[in-house]
Amino acid sequence: MNVNESLKNALFTKEFTHNPYPVYEKLRQSDPIMNLQFPDGRHGWLIASYAEAVEALKDGRFSKDVTKAMGVEQTSVFSTNMLFSDPPDHKRLRGLVQKGFTPQRIADMRSHIQEIADGLLDAVSSKDTMNLIDEYAFKLPIIVISEILGVPAEDQDKFRLWSNSIIGASNQVMNEQVVQHMNEFIAYLKDWFAKVREQPGDDMISQLVIAENQGDRLSEHELYGVVTLMIIAGHETTVNLIGNGVLALLEHPEQRKLLQEQPELIHGAIEEMLRYNGPVEFSTSRWAAEDLEFHGVHMKKGDLVVIALNSANRDSKQFEDPDLFDITREKSQHLAFGKGIHLCLGAPLARLEGEIAINTLLRRFPHFELQGDVDELEWRPGMIVRGVKEIPISLRS
């Protein structure tokens, strides 16, 4: 078996999900643009090195719209959004959403996010242990994005269930339960949009439902896609940023001590957490819009292209000592939120939530410890998000 075949066999295994970085290093050295079969059965190209990843993320020859690239219809009602569109549709859809994510609006949310973080930790203050993911890392961002969108508090847990199913569907995990959850979500959104049309509020969903951009309203499918993207991207990224970030601190006690002594280092710490073990494993799909050559590799029109973001963020050609977790590292141009026109719209909000959540946890419970061994933690399956299912911690030493 040659090196490439060995690497292909190592990809997407349970061991790879637990720690993909040794495989990524070998991949960057031997075949940074690898042709392979993905877990869902599709054949395509996996880009693992930083320079090539940046180019691919910004290259207009790679289309995000499968309808244009391959001449096939979108199979999911949730895919009609700016993440899966090209210009000019991308600019129109993004323009309708970005009004709710201006730097000033996000900055104005700081004190409220701090209140949410303190409230969540108040709720566990009498306990000796907590599940960091379920009781904190999930709850904080889902509360924030739900308030922005106008999701009732009593429905927030449903949205977590539905978003997990939609992520599963993106990995072609289409079992009966996933289909049921997706249908429940569609029914919920239909009812919600109808109510908003009758009585709009001042939340973002109301703005999107009644919005017009040069006389062009969002279609029903576009509404599904935009709302779904904001719900998933608006909390999934932050859940795993917080979870992976806390894990990095637990595994590097000297860095944790430094951050506790100098909480003002949190901005650089968040950037390093995003680089070191980012919350998004792979980019969403792109397709070659034409026959092309990319760094000596010949791709045919319709070829699938996926970028290994977390591999690019450990590339020694871009980052000095890339496997070292260092919260004082000079600001790095990591790719945790992508690059180019599809750069994550909610990145500033995710950063702010991560900063507040982690610094507040360190301040409120300075002696928290992981219960059990880090090697026993179960990582979530799939190709999009990177995060663990649970992080049990003791709140007091």
Side-chain angles (χ1 to χ4, degrees):
M1 183 183 296
N2 62 36
V3 174
N4 281 17
E5 287 303 315
S6 176
L7 284 173
K8 289 179 182 180
N9 290 337
L11 286 164
F12 314 121
T13 62
K14 186 176 181 180
E15 292 74 21
F16 173 83
T17 301
H18 180 78
N19 181 15
Y21 297 105
V23 176
Y24 283 149
E25 184 177 6
K26 293 176 182 176
L27 193 61
R28 290 191 302 270
Q29 292 173 357
S30 66
D31 198 355
I33 307 176
M34 175 177 277
N35 185 253
L36 78 162
Q37 183 176 11
F38 290 95
D40 58 16
R42 297 181 297 171
H43 287 268
W45 302 90
L46 181 65
I47 299 176
S49 52
Y50 183 91
E52 287 83 348
V54 170
E55 286 188 42
L57 289 168
K58 298 168 70 173
D59 195 327
R61 297 177 300 169
F62 296 127
S63 173
K64 296 286 288 179
D65 189 338
V66 67
T67 305
K68 292 180 180 177
M70 299 186 68
V72 299
E73 291 299 318
Q74 288 280 12
T75 57
S76 171
V77 297
F78 304 116
S79 297
T80 311
N81 58 56
M82 58 269 197
L83 186 60
F84 298 105
S85 62
D86 299 326
D89 289 338
H90 172 268
K91 184 177 181 179
R92 177 178 67 89
L93 293 169
R94 190 177 176 102
L96 288 168
V97 176
Q98 65 184 7
K99 300 170 187 175
F101 292 92
T102 62
Q104 188 58 54
R105 275 200 170 191
I106 291 170
D108 289 345
M109 296 175 68
R110 176 178 288 275
S111 61
H112 183 52
I113 295 173
Q114 184 64 65
E115 290 174 2
I116 294 170
D118 282 321
L120 291 172
L121 293 182
D122 285 343
V124 300
S125 61
S126 62
K127 300 170 60 175
D128 292 326
T129 64
M130 79 165 172
N131 179 348
L132 181 81
I133 299 297
D134 283 351
E135 297 180 81
Y136 191 54
F138 162 71
K139 285 189 175 181
L140 187 146
I142 197 67
I143 291 171
V144 173
I145 196 63
S146 294
E147 290 182 353
I148 291 173
L149 294 175
V151 178
E154 62 270 20
D155 292 335
Q156 290 170 10
D157 282 336
K158 294 180 186 176
F159 275 73
R160 183 187 192 187
L161 183 68
W162 291 333
S163 75
N164 283 339
S165 284
I166 294 168
I167 287 175
S170 69
N171 293 318
Q172 308 298 309
V173 184
M174 290 294 288
N175 58 38
E176 187 175 332
Q177 187 178 54
V178 168
V179 173
Q180 178 187 337
H181 290 162
M182 293 175 71
N183 289 336
E184 289 173 358
F185 188 42
I186 293 171
Y188 181 96
L189 291 179
K190 277 186 176 180
D191 183 56
W192 188 7
F193 296 157
K195 290 177 181 177
V196 166
R197 287 190 179 99
E198 292 294 322
Q199 193 172 2
D202 58 0
D203 54 83
M204 184 175 286
I205 293 302
S206 296
Q207 295 171 20
L208 289 172
V209 168
I210 63 176
E212 284 192 345
N213 184 22
Q214 297 180 343
D216 183 17
R217 289 183 184 273
L218 287 169
S219 69
E220 194 82 359
H221 274 202
E222 286 174 337
L223 277 171
Y224 291 145
V226 169
V227 172
T228 303
L229 176 62
M230 286 194 292
I231 290 169
I232 294 176
H235 86 271
E236 282 286 356
T237 301
T238 312
V239 170
N240 297 305
L241 164 56
I242 297 169
N244 295 356
V246 169
L247 274 183
L249 294 176
L250 286 166
E251 292 184 282
H252 300 83
E254 77 291 345
Q255 296 293 299
R256 172 181 173 174
K257 183 174 183 289
L258 180 60
L259 184 55
Q260 285 177 308
E261 292 173 347
Q262 301 182 55
E264 66 274 12
L265 295 176
I266 189 61
H267 307 295
I270 291 296
E271 297 309 306
E272 180 67 345
M273 291 168 187
L274 288 164
R275 184 202 68 82
Y276 181 76
N277 198 12
V280 181
E281 189 77 62
F282 299 101
S283 71
T284 48
S285 300
R286 285 166 168 76
W287 292 269
E290 59 190 64
D291 291 345
L292 58 89
E293 183 174 319
F294 184 78
H295 282 268
V297 174
H298 296 281
M299 299 182 183
K300 295 182 179 179
K301 180 179 179 180
D303 276 3
L304 173 66
V305 178
V306 174
I307 295 96
L309 300 174
N310 280 352
S311 175
N313 287 337
R314 295 280 192 107
D315 192 335
S316 61
K317 293 180 180 178
Q318 178 67 24
F319 305 100
E320 186 177 353
D321 295 325
D323 295 324
L324 178 69
F325 178 68
D326 178 10
I327 66 171
T328 65
R329 185 184 294 271
E330 291 293 321
K331 186 174 182 180
S332 61
Q333 297 296 318
H334 62 73
L335 304 181
F337 292 119
K339 204 78 170 176
I341 65 170
H342 291 283
L343 180 71
C344 178
L345 188 65
L349 178 59
R351 286 184 166 104
L352 179 60
E353 291 172 323
E355 290 176 10
I356 292 171
I358 291 174
N359 257 3
T360 305
L361 178 68
L362 291 171
R363 174 173 51 83
R364 294 283 300 271
F365 298 102
H367 305 295
F368 74 86
E369 296 177 351
L370 180 67
Q371 288 187 302
D373 193 318
V374 67
D375 291 330
E376 296 172 355
L377 297 175
E378 184 179 358
W379 290 84
R380 295 173 62 182
M383 285 185 58
I384 298 180
V385 299
R386 174 160 180 78
V388 290
K389 292 184 177 180
E390 296 181 350
I391 303 179
I393 59 173
S394 58
L395 297 175
R396 299 163 184 84
S397 61

